[in-house]
mmCIF file of all heavy atoms in Angstrom:
data_model
loop_
_atom_site.group_PDB
_atom_site.id
_atom_site.type_symbol
_atom_site.label_atom_id
_atom_site.label_comp_id
_atom_site.label_asym_id
_atom_site.label_seq_id
_atom_site.Cartn_x
_atom_site.Cartn_y
_atom_site.Cartn_z
ATOM 1 N N LEU V 214 133.077 200.105 111.658
ATOM 2 C CA LEU V 214 133.193 199.143 112.797
ATOM 3 C C LEU V 214 134.229 198.019 112.519
ATOM 4 O O LEU V 214 134.993 197.680 113.375
ATOM 5 C CB LEU V 214 131.802 198.570 112.983
ATOM 6 C CG LEU V 214 130.764 199.350 113.783
ATOM 7 C CD1 LEU V 214 129.455 198.682 113.792
ATOM 8 C CD2 LEU V 214 131.210 199.654 115.191
ATOM 9 N N PHE V 215 134.224 197.608 111.282
ATOM 10 C CA PHE V 215 135.202 196.555 110.938
ATOM 11 C C PHE V 215 136.655 197.110 110.798
ATOM 12 O O PHE V 215 137.561 196.356 110.964
ATOM 13 C CB PHE V 215 134.770 195.768 109.653
ATOM 14 C CG PHE V 215 133.903 194.641 109.968
ATOM 15 C CD1 PHE V 215 132.571 194.626 109.519
ATOM 16 C CD2 PHE V 215 134.384 193.481 110.593
ATOM 17 C CE1 PHE V 215 131.789 193.590 109.809
ATOM 18 C CE2 PHE V 215 133.521 192.420 110.832
ATOM 19 C CZ PHE V 215 132.220 192.473 110.477
ATOM 20 N N ALA V 216 136.821 198.429 110.602
ATOM 21 C CA ALA V 216 138.054 198.977 110.640
ATOM 22 C C ALA V 216 138.652 199.124 111.998
ATOM 23 O O ALA V 216 139.828 199.436 112.222
ATOM 24 C CB ALA V 216 138.029 200.360 109.996
ATOM 25 N N ASN V 217 137.706 199.091 112.961
ATOM 26 C CA ASN V 217 138.074 199.105 114.412
ATOM 27 C C ASN V 217 138.662 197.746 114.749
ATOM 28 O O ASN V 217 137.920 196.792 115.044
ATOM 29 C CB ASN V 217 136.821 199.441 115.285
ATOM 30 C CG ASN V 217 137.116 199.612 116.726
ATOM 31 O OD1 ASN V 217 138.067 198.970 117.214
ATOM 32 N ND2 ASN V 217 136.255 200.405 117.395
ATOM 33 N N LYS V 218 139.984 197.589 114.860
ATOM 34 C CA LYS V 218 140.644 196.289 115.106
ATOM 35 C C LYS V 218 140.188 195.624 116.362
ATOM 36 O O LYS V 218 139.911 194.452 116.343
ATOM 37 C CB LYS V 218 142.126 196.469 114.976
ATOM 38 C CG LYS V 218 142.668 196.624 113.545
ATOM 39 C CD LYS V 218 144.168 196.659 113.591
ATOM 40 C CE LYS V 218 144.692 196.779 112.132
ATOM 41 N NZ LYS V 218 146.169 196.786 112.083
ATOM 42 N N PRO V 219 140.117 196.323 117.515
ATOM 43 C CA PRO V 219 139.687 195.709 118.738
ATOM 44 C C PRO V 219 138.326 195.164 118.560
ATOM 45 O O PRO V 219 137.976 193.984 119.000
ATOM 46 C CB PRO V 219 139.654 196.832 119.710
ATOM 47 C CG PRO V 219 140.707 197.794 119.285
ATOM 48 C CD PRO V 219 140.612 197.753 117.735
ATOM 49 N N PHE V 220 137.310 195.803 117.879
ATOM 50 C CA PHE V 220 135.995 195.354 117.675
ATOM 51 C C PHE V 220 136.052 194.123 116.727
ATOM 52 O O PHE V 220 135.283 193.059 117.082
ATOM 53 C CB PHE V 220 135.213 196.410 116.893
ATOM 54 C CG PHE V 220 133.750 195.974 116.671
ATOM 55 C CD1 PHE V 220 132.780 195.985 117.520
ATOM 56 C CD2 PHE V 220 133.509 195.497 115.348
ATOM 57 C CE1 PHE V 220 131.441 195.565 117.245
ATOM 58 C CE2 PHE V 220 132.263 195.063 115.023
ATOM 59 C CZ PHE V 220 131.211 195.059 115.977
ATOM 60 N N PHE V 221 136.814 194.084 115.789
ATOM 61 C CA PHE V 221 136.889 192.980 114.853
ATOM 62 C C PHE V 221 137.446 191.678 115.568
ATOM 63 O O PHE V 221 136.883 190.557 115.470
ATOM 64 C CB PHE V 221 137.838 193.236 113.638
ATOM 65 C CG PHE V 221 137.933 192.178 112.648
ATOM 66 C CD1 PHE V 221 136.929 191.769 111.837
ATOM 67 C CD2 PHE V 221 139.205 191.507 112.543
ATOM 68 C CE1 PHE V 221 137.123 190.682 110.953
ATOM 69 C CE2 PHE V 221 139.336 190.485 111.679
ATOM 70 C CZ PHE V 221 138.306 190.051 110.807
ATOM 71 N N TYR V 222 138.593 191.898 116.316
ATOM 72 C CA TYR V 222 139.118 190.761 117.011
ATOM 73 C C TYR V 222 138.125 190.214 118.093
ATOM 74 O O TYR V 222 137.980 188.990 118.302
ATOM 75 C CB TYR V 222 140.469 191.125 117.692
ATOM 76 C CG TYR V 222 141.696 191.091 116.867
ATOM 77 C CD1 TYR V 222 141.725 191.881 115.671
ATOM 78 C CD2 TYR V 222 142.809 190.268 117.154
ATOM 79 C CE1 TYR V 222 142.788 191.849 114.772
ATOM 80 C CE2 TYR V 222 143.872 190.272 116.320
ATOM 81 C CZ TYR V 222 143.884 191.080 115.182
ATOM 82 O OH TYR V 222 145.064 191.014 114.376
ATOM 83 N N LEU V 223 137.510 191.127 118.802
ATOM 84 C CA LEU V 223 136.575 190.795 119.884
ATOM 85 C C LEU V 223 135.401 190.031 119.263
ATOM 86 O O LEU V 223 134.862 189.071 119.814
ATOM 87 C CB LEU V 223 136.137 191.972 120.652
ATOM 88 C CG LEU V 223 135.159 191.834 121.748
ATOM 89 C CD1 LEU V 223 135.797 190.852 122.846
ATOM 90 C CD2 LEU V 223 134.824 193.181 122.416
ATOM 91 N N SER V 224 134.900 190.509 118.124
ATOM 92 C CA SER V 224 133.809 189.765 117.544
ATOM 93 C C SER V 224 134.091 188.265 117.111
ATOM 94 O O SER V 224 133.239 187.467 117.382
ATOM 95 C CB SER V 224 133.324 190.481 116.240
ATOM 96 O OG SER V 224 132.849 191.759 116.608
ATOM 97 N N LEU V 225 135.300 188.114 116.668
ATOM 98 C CA LEU V 225 135.748 186.691 116.362
ATOM 99 C C LEU V 225 135.890 185.868 117.682
ATOM 100 O O LEU V 225 135.484 184.732 117.682
ATOM 101 C CB LEU V 225 137.135 186.770 115.632
ATOM 102 C CG LEU V 225 137.096 187.367 114.242
ATOM 103 C CD1 LEU V 225 138.522 187.338 113.665
ATOM 104 C CD2 LEU V 225 136.206 186.555 113.333
ATOM 105 N N ILE V 226 136.448 186.458 118.746
ATOM 106 C CA ILE V 226 136.481 185.753 119.954
ATOM 107 C C ILE V 226 135.055 185.368 120.492
ATOM 108 O O ILE V 226 134.906 184.284 120.960
ATOM 109 C CB ILE V 226 137.209 186.629 121.059
ATOM 110 C CG1 ILE V 226 138.666 186.824 120.731
ATOM 111 C CG2 ILE V 226 137.035 186.125 122.434
ATOM 112 C CD1 ILE V 226 139.342 187.980 121.515
ATOM 113 N N MET V 227 134.161 186.311 120.315
ATOM 114 C CA MET V 227 132.717 185.968 120.811
ATOM 115 C C MET V 227 132.171 184.862 119.878
ATOM 116 O O MET V 227 131.429 184.057 120.465
ATOM 117 C CB MET V 227 131.907 187.294 120.655
ATOM 118 C CG MET V 227 132.280 188.348 121.612
ATOM 119 S SD MET V 227 131.401 189.870 121.347
ATOM 120 C CE MET V 227 129.757 189.428 121.692
#
Side-chain angles (χ1 to χ4, degrees):
L214 285 174
F215 272 111
N217 182 334
K218 286 186 179 180
F220 177 84
F221 179 70
Y222 278 60
L223 181 58
S224 297
L225 292 179
I226 293 168
M227 292 172 66

